[in-house]
Amino acid sequence: GTGTTTETATTITPGTAPGFPPFEMKEGDELVGFDIDLLSAVVAEAEGYQLGEWQEFAFDSLVPSLTSNKIDVIAAAMTITDKREQTIDFTNPYYNADQAILVREDGSFSPSKLSDLSGHKVGSQSGTTGENIAKELIKEGTLKESNYNSYDSYVFAVQDLQNGNIDAVILDVPVAQTFADQRPVEIAFTHETGERYGFGIRNGDDDLQSALNEGLAAVRDSGRYEEIRNKWFGS
Ligand code: GLN
C-alpha cells in the first residue's frame, strides 16, 4: 500500500479499551497511544484496506465485539494466548511484556514474590492475563477470593490502590511503569510471563491477517515502528 485510498479498499473498524497508558488512553475527547498510532501506520501500508472509526469498549467486551462483527480488528495490547486463539486469530506479535505487581509508594506493603500477596487485597482488570494470575493464586489457595477485586478498567484499580482500598494491582509491566511515572505508586516486583501482543482479528479473516502482517513488516522496515515506539516510550 502507499497510503492512498482506492474505491476498492475495504474499511475495517478498529476497537480498543482506553485506560491502558501508553498503549491507549483518552486525552480529553481524543483517543491516543502507541496502539492507535501503530495500527494506523500498519493499515496505511496494508494493501486493500483503510481504517474506519475507532470504537471503545471495556477490555473484556473486545473479543465478543469482534466475533459479533461490531469491530473488525482489536488493538488493545492484547496478549496472544492459547485460550483466545480458540475464539479469534492474531497478527504477528508487535510488542513483548511481562506482568508487574504495583503497590503504593508509601512503603506500607512491599511484596517481593507472588506468595507475599497472601492475606492482602489484590485487584486487576476483568478478562486480562493479570487477572489470570490472580485466579491462579485463588485456585492454589494463596489468595482468598474475597480479597480479589476485578475492575472494568485498570484506571479504577489503580485509583483503589491509591485510596488504600486494595494493596496491589497485577498488570502489564509497561503500563505499570507508566502509572508509576504519573502517580504515587511503584512496581514492587515483576513476574516473567513472556507475553506478546498481537492485533486480534476474526478466525478466517486470512486476507486481512496477511495484509496486516505485511503492513507490520513494512512499518518495521521503514523505521516507522521505531519512531512510534520512541514517541510513546522514549528511546
Ligand atoms: N496484555 C493483557 C491481556 O492481554 C492486558 C491488556 C489490557 O488490559 N489492555 O490480557
Side-chain angles (χ1 to χ4, degrees):
T2 57
T4 49
T5 303
T6 66
E7 277 179 47
T8 55
T10 303
T11 300
I12 51 167
T13 301
T16 193
F20 205 61
F23 291 97
E24 38 268 339
M25 64 258 192
K26 299 303 286 270
E27 271 178 16
D29 283 344
E30 211 194 341
L31 179 67
V32 298
F34 176 87
D35 280 336
I36 312 309
D37 284 353
L38 182 62
L39 185 66
S40 301
V42 165
V43 174
E45 296 292 340
E47 202 70 57
Y49 293 94
Q50 59 184 344
L51 208 54
E53 264 195 59
W54 286 88
Q55 307 294 315
E56 299 169 18
F57 300 90
F59 184 76
D60 63 6
S61 297
L62 285 167
V63 170
S65 298
L66 179 66
T67 57
S68 63
N69 300 314
K70 288 196 183 79
I71 53 176
D72 303 305
V73 57
I74 297 171
M78 186 175 276
T79 304
I80 302 167
T81 65
D82 291 344
K83 185 156 181 259
R84 288 176 182 148
E85 282 193 310
Q86 290 170 12
T87 315
I88 63 169
D89 236 329
F90 286 94
T91 62
N92 291 330
Y94 65 82
Y95 205 90
N96 299 333
D98 293 311
Q99 292 293 306
I101 284 51
L102 194 68
V103 297
R104 283 179 297 281
E105 67 179 9
D106 62 10
S108 54
F109 177 48
S110 308
S112 60
K113 53 188 186 305
L114 287 175
S115 58
D116 292 341
L117 299 177
S118 182
H120 290 268
K121 290 193 173 162
V122 176
S124 74
Q125 182 177 282
S126 178
T128 59
T129 49
E131 178 163 85
N132 289 346
I133 292 176
K135 284 186 172 165
E136 203 52 50
L137 293 174
I138 291 168
K139 214 162 95 187
E140 69 184 34
T142 303
L143 188 66
K144 274 200 290 181
E145 186 143 28
S146 57
N147 274 347
Y148 176 64
N149 282 2
S150 187
Y151 297 85
D152 276 348
S153 166
Y154 272 120
V155 172
F156 302 139
V158 174
Q159 196 56 55
D160 250 9
L161 174 63
Q162 288 179 240
N163 293 343
N165 293 331
I166 57 175
D167 303 311
V169 176
I170 308 176
L171 78 173
D172 303 41
V173 169
V175 179
Q177 190 55 59
T178 305
F179 279 121
D181 292 342
Q182 298 169 349
R183 298 160 182 243
V185 295
E186 65 185 15
I187 293 177
F189 66 97
T190 60
H191 175 70
E192 212 172 295
T193 53
E195 291 170 60
R196 302 179 314 161
Y197 301 162
F199 296 123
I201 52 174
R202 273 182 297 278
N203 270 333
D205 260 354
D206 299 342
D207 290 345
L208 177 58
Q209 187 178 37
S210 309
L212 292 178
N213 282 338
E214 280 162 27
L216 205 45
V219 161
R220 284 190 195 274
D221 287 346
S222 69
R224 186 77 186 110
Y225 179 94
E226 201 62 25
E227 275 175 27
I228 295 170
R229 194 178 170 123
N230 288 343
K231 173 179 172 189
W232 294 104
F233 293 95
S235 42

